[in-house]
Amino acid sequence: MPNKNGPRLQLGNYPTPVFELSNMLKLNEMQKSDEAHQRLWIKRDDYSGLELSGNKTRKLEFALAEAQMQGATVVITAGAIQSNHCRQTATACRWLGLKPHLLLFGESGKGKGGNFLIDETLGAEITYVHPKDYPNYLEMMEHLKEQYQAQGIKAYCIPIGASYGIGNFGYIEGYREILEWQLSVGVALDSIVVAVGSGGTYAGLWLGHYLYSQQTEQAATRIVGISISSPSSVFKDKILAILTETAQYQEALRAILPDFNAEAMLKEAKTGIEIIDGFQGAGYAIPDPAAVERSQWLAENTGIILDSVYTGKAFNGLMHLLQTDQLGKDVLFVHTGGLFGFFGHQEG
Ligand SMILES: *Cc1c(COP(=O)(O)O)cnc(C)c1O
């Protein structure tokens, strides 16, 4: 059981830094001086580590703690050939002396660089599966786990993106870190914006906000997710499912909010989850021209690189909402990583 202080492994470099972008992006140049100025901040969760760069590292601090507590020596997870999550899991496993076994959708990633090159260098065990088998991937992981079991080896399965009950504690903690930053610099964020790929980062931030906002006035912040693939209704259901799983860790949640009640939380989640459509382009991992253009603009004005699968689409959505005045005055974008995917070949 995790609680406020653990068991949690320390894998990433936290707290990650936050920088203000408003001046570099000349956000307020067109506004009259008496209007409230917009401020945009970026939290560099891509600075969680080098090999461990990205948002899955926070989730893995709790997921792999559970794996170790269960006595597992092999960790099985799944993702695309250029999965950031698989690369972060494989890296963390090697750091902890566990064997990573990856289920990758597609054909061999040899020669494709990026995340796959790191998986290969780490000597991760790889099983390739046809992308059409994606709906059955949980059973396929269970099957691999049974095969290990038959050899007397204990394996632990992590769903795609570590977006499940225990993994969610990563971004509950991530939210707490953001709250601490707000208190230390005297900023009251109106919105926190993040990419939504498998829903776990959003679910954790939303639940973190839910738990902590009942205890501090500073925390009245909207958590806004930008879908990078599926329609928002699909993600809302997915996020509710993750929150339902997390609600089972009652003891850990009550360590944060003593009168935590799962039903009350889920009731609020049903109306409170905010996922924005319209910025996913043609679908998962298909670059969207508007997002690519926006990423180029950010790079030229700040030196910050976004990836085309996740952060580019999310940032494009954020800028659209910011410019149409839909996010309030103080806005934080969580940079969730993806640089190795940027270096890797996505297709072919
Ligand atoms: C996985 C990932 C996301 C999406 O996070 P989820 O928790 O899966 O919704 C966003 N950005 C990057 C770089 C990722 O690797």
Side-chain angles (χ1 to χ4, degrees):
M1 285 280 160
N3 60 41
K4 240 175 175 168
N5 307 306
R8 165 193 171 196
L9 297 163
Q10 199 182 336
L11 297 172
N13 294 302
Y14 300 119
T16 53
V18 177
F19 304 106
E20 191 180 348
L21 302 179
S22 327
N23 291 339
M24 283 185 256
L25 297 181
K26 303 183 171 64
L27 281 189
N28 297 299
E29 228 158 56
M30 306 301 286
Q31 290 186 338
K32 289 186 221 110
S33 57
D34 56 346
E35 278 180 58
H37 276 206
Q38 285 183 321
R39 288 189 293 186
L40 175 62
W41 313 82
I42 189 166
K43 182 166 175 69
R44 302 295 305 260
D45 269 13
D46 55 326
Y47 283 15
S48 53
L50 181 58
E51 300 91 336
L52 283 173
S53 167
N55 59 340
K56 307 311 180 305
T57 298
R58 285 191 192 276
K59 309 178 191 191
L60 290 167
E61 290 193 337
F62 292 90
L64 293 176
E66 187 169 88
Q68 284 192 321
M69 253 177 337
Q70 292 182 7
T73 55
V74 174
V75 171
I76 303 167
T77 195
I81 297 286
Q82 285 297 346
S83 164
N84 298 304
H85 163 68
C86 286
R87 179 258 308 160
Q88 286 166 85
T89 304
T91 303
C93 281
R94 288 308 193 196
W95 180 249
L96 297 169
L98 303 167
K99 177 183 146 177
H101 191 147
L102 309 176
L103 210 75
L104 299 183
F105 300 110
E107 289 171 14
S108 171
K110 273 211 188 311
K112 290 184 183 159
N115 287 303
F116 184 84
L117 178 60
I118 298 179
D119 298 341
E120 231 182 351
T121 306
L122 294 165
E125 178 90 36
I126 296 173
T127 301
Y128 294 100
V129 292
H130 197 280
K132 76 168 169 36
D133 288 329
Y134 168 75
N136 308 320
Y137 90 92
L138 282 172
E139 289 138 56
M140 295 172 110
M141 292 203 307
E142 276 305 311
H143 183 65
L144 285 176
K145 182 177 164 177
E146 283 161 18
Q147 285 179 336
Y148 278 110
Q149 212 158 10
Q151 298 169 52
I153 296 165
K154 184 147 177 83
Y156 178 90
C157 297
I158 300 179
I160 288 183
S163 293
Y164 68 133
I166 188 82
N168 222 12
F169 283 89
Y171 270 92
I172 293 175
E173 173 58 19
Y175 178 79
R176 193 200 56 72
E177 208 177 281
I178 293 171
L179 186 57
E180 203 160 86
W181 169 80
Q182 291 187 67
L183 296 169
S184 74
V185 298
V187 169
L189 291 172
D190 295 297
S191 305
I192 297 172
V193 182
V194 72
V196 178
S198 62
T201 303
Y202 184 93
L205 288 172
W206 188 90
L207 187 53
H209 176 261
Y210 174 86
L211 295 169
Y212 287 102
S213 66
Q214 323 226 354
Q215 302 170 73
T216 152
E217 283 176 26
Q218 180 97 36
T221 305
R222 276 168 60 199
I223 313 293
V224 180
I226 314 277
S227 167
I228 59 88
S229 55
S230 307
S232 59
S233 58
V234 171
F235 278 126
K236 274 183 194 160
D237 290 345
K238 174 85 200 290
I239 289 163
L240 282 171
I242 300 168
L243 291 172
T244 305
E245 269 179 43
T246 309
Q248 291 165 8
Y249 294 85
Q250 295 264 339
E251 197 185 322
L253 295 167
R254 291 217 170 104
I256 303 171
L257 181 65
D259 61 354
F260 173 80
N261 175 288
E263 267 173 44
M265 181 275 285
L266 290 169
K267 186 160 177 259
E268 192 157 325
K270 277 187 187 123
T271 53
I273 295 171
E274 211 183 328
I275 311 294
I276 309 289
D277 274 325
F279 300 97
Q280 49 267 75
Y284 180 72
I286 303 170
D288 175 50
V292 170
E293 195 179 313
R294 192 84 80 170
S295 304
Q296 183 76 30
W297 171 76
L298 182 75
E300 286 176 12
N301 285 287
T302 66
I304 297 169
I305 307 286
L306 303 175
D307 75 306
S308 64
V309 182
Y310 297 101
T311 53
K313 289 180 180 180
F315 185 75
N316 184 40
L318 176 150
M319 284 308 298
H320 178 82
L321 297 173
L322 195 72
Q323 285 166 348
T324 51
D325 217 4
Q326 298 178 57
L327 293 175
K329 180 175 164 292
D330 280 293
V331 179
L332 179 83
F333 178 62
V334 182
H335 190 322
T336 43
L339 191 62
F340 292 112
F342 176 80
F343 288 140
H345 302 277
Q346 298 292 340
E347 304 292 334

